[in-house]
Amino acid sequence: MSLSIKPEDFTCPLPQDNSETVQLAHGGGSRLAAELIEKMLVPAFADPVLARLEDQAVLNPELAAGERLAFTTDSFVVDPLFFPGGSIGELAINGTVNDLAMGGARPLYLSAALIIEEGLPLEWLRRVVAAMSAAASAAGVRVVTGDTKVVGRGACDKLFINTSGIGAVPAGIELSAANLRPGDQIIISGTMADHGMAIMSCRQGLSFVEALRSDTAALDGLVAVILAAAGMGGRESGGPSGALRAMRDPTRGGVAAVLSEMARASGVGVVIAEESLPVADPVRGACEILGIDPLFVANEGKLLAVVAPEAAAPVLNAMRAHPLGRQAAIIGEVRAANPGLVALRTLLGPHRIIDLPAGELLPRIC
């Protein structure tokens, strides 16, 4: 009988102050855990509520008359941690900010919980935390509470992040996937499939003539522009009030999954035009080589907005004037026929039903 034992199978029982990797002691009630929180995490976010290091964040949000609170939570397990155009850090912040913004909420506060695998290089953790801090600052949202846990080697894959968010929804805004009506126009804020194909190319070691980059971004600023153009951002906007029906960020499952969800929730049909779908040339080429339909690929910096017909032009123009909406396009409309179904009008004319795949196209995309 022979045993194959490797040095990495052993863990030193005593924490090492000079270690350049995360140790189990970083996740407990030890001095190393306190140093990780007080020297790396708290300074990164520089928030007075977080700096108190209480078990809860006591908040006093300033809400306008009629505003309500929105609350969301999400977990991020993307592989690899760093990819062209971003990392798990800004992805975790932007993803939760966007989930709030899709309901018309103004993002206010976030929590961040990090589950770290023993042995993760501390420099990687610093880079992730710095990316989270920069993304939170760019979105104007505060990280006010959090948690860290360290698990043994193999108990998780490098680093997982959970973020929860609280935002304020202005009075009169009631966005929902169940609001769609026949005649409504469907607008996408930019090119599809950038994030998913960037992750796939990075994960599989694929190289293309032009590098693929993730589109991860916080969309709250773009949402504010859309609300104003639709007459839901203040009386001074002058747009048609209530004309914005719903918004979604097409992450896992891509545009196809979001439109299918909306069609089922509203009991309507949706028809989109293939010639109107914006896809960057490098992404289109990668999709063709790999046999992947960009409609099903995840995005992390795009949104779909469904608006009343009379609001389509002002909303589209407002989106195109914003840096994150310059390539916005009307891609389809809502129909009364074929409730619950999404159809694609192909370049040759015939329609085909967009059916969701049985499984996940690309796991651990976010």
Side-chain angles (χ1 to χ4, degrees):
M1 178 179 178
S2 62
L3 296 176
S4 177
I5 301 177
K6 302 174 183 178
E8 57 265 29
D9 293 334
F10 294 92
T11 300
C12 178
L14 296 177
Q16 305 173 56
D17 286 349
N18 61 350
S19 174
E20 295 183 356
T21 62
V22 174
Q23 303 172 65
L24 286 174
H26 281 112
S30 67
R31 175 169 50 82
L32 284 184
E35 289 178 353
L36 181 71
I37 294 170
E38 295 173 7
K39 294 183 179 180
M40 183 186 299
L41 301 179
V42 171
F45 300 108
D47 190 276
V49 175
L50 178 65
R52 295 185 190 125
L53 295 179
E54 301 288 355
D55 287 338
Q56 71 291 313
V58 179
L59 307 171
N60 185 26
E62 296 182 3
L63 300 180
E67 281 193 326
R68 295 148 294 149
L69 290 179
F71 178 69
T72 188
T73 190
D74 206 350
S75 297
F76 297 85
V77 297
V78 65
D79 178 40
L81 297 183
F82 305 97
F83 45 83
S87 73
I88 192 174
E90 55 260 69
L91 197 63
I93 299 296
N94 292 341
T96 300
V97 165
N98 292 346
D99 283 347
L100 291 170
M102 292 308 101
R106 172 171 49 94
L108 298 174
Y109 308 110
L110 297 185
S111 71
L114 283 65
I115 301 174
I116 312 167
E117 182 185 19
E118 177 191 15
L120 182 79
L122 280 170
E123 180 55 31
W124 289 17
L125 186 59
R126 291 189 188 96
R127 287 174 59 190
V128 168
V129 172
M132 294 175 72
S133 174
S137 178
V141 67
R142 296 169 57 185
V143 177
V144 295
T145 189
D147 183 46
T148 59
K149 292 291 188 294
V150 179
V151 298
R153 296 176 188 267
C156 81
D157 188 5
K158 298 181 284 294
L159 175 66
F160 298 156
I161 300 177
N162 173 272
T163 44
S164 295
I166 295 174
V169 182
I173 293 180
E174 297 284 352
L175 305 181
S176 171
N179 287 347
L180 277 61
R181 306 173 192 172
D184 288 347
Q185 302 293 292
I186 302 166
I187 305 176
I188 191 169
S189 63
T191 54
M192 302 187 307
D194 296 342
H195 175 74
M197 296 312 297
I199 295 294
M200 179 172 284
S201 65
C202 187
R203 189 182 297 172
Q204 302 300 327
L206 304 175
S207 60
F208 298 93
V209 174
E210 189 171 343
L212 307 181
R213 294 179 61 83
S214 170
D215 60 347
T216 178
L219 298 171
D220 54 315
L222 179 60
V223 167
V225 166
I226 294 172
L227 289 171
M232 302 169 75
R235 300 303 302 173
E236 70 283 356
S237 62
S241 180
L244 178 63
R245 313 296 196 203
M247 289 185 292
R248 286 287 190 275
D249 54 335
T251 54
R252 285 176 297 178
V255 170
V258 167
L259 292 180
S260 295
E261 173 192 333
M262 287 181 168
R264 291 194 303 270
S266 292
V268 296
V270 169
V271 176
I272 55 177
E274 187 174 10
E275 71 269 14
S276 300
L277 300 175
V279 183
D281 288 340
V283 173
R284 188 186 303 277
C287 287
E288 290 176 352
I289 290 172
L290 297 172
I292 294 174
D293 189 334
L295 276 169
F296 298 96
V297 180
N299 311 267
E300 288 292 343
K302 303 299 188 310
L303 64 81
L304 288 168
V306 183
V307 301
E310 65 273 15
V315 168
L316 182 63
N317 291 335
M319 292 174 69
R320 287 177 172 173
H322 189 278
L324 294 178
R326 288 173 181 157
Q327 295 174 298
I330 296 175
I331 62 172
E333 67 178 16
V334 179
R335 303 275 181 87
N338 303 314
L341 295 180
V342 178
L344 174 72
R345 187 177 69 242
T346 66
L347 293 174
L348 298 177
H351 290 66
R352 68 178 175 91
I353 299 299
I354 300 299
D355 197 12
L356 295 180
E360 191 170 6
L361 181 66
L362 183 61
R364 296 186 61 182
I365 198 72
C366 59

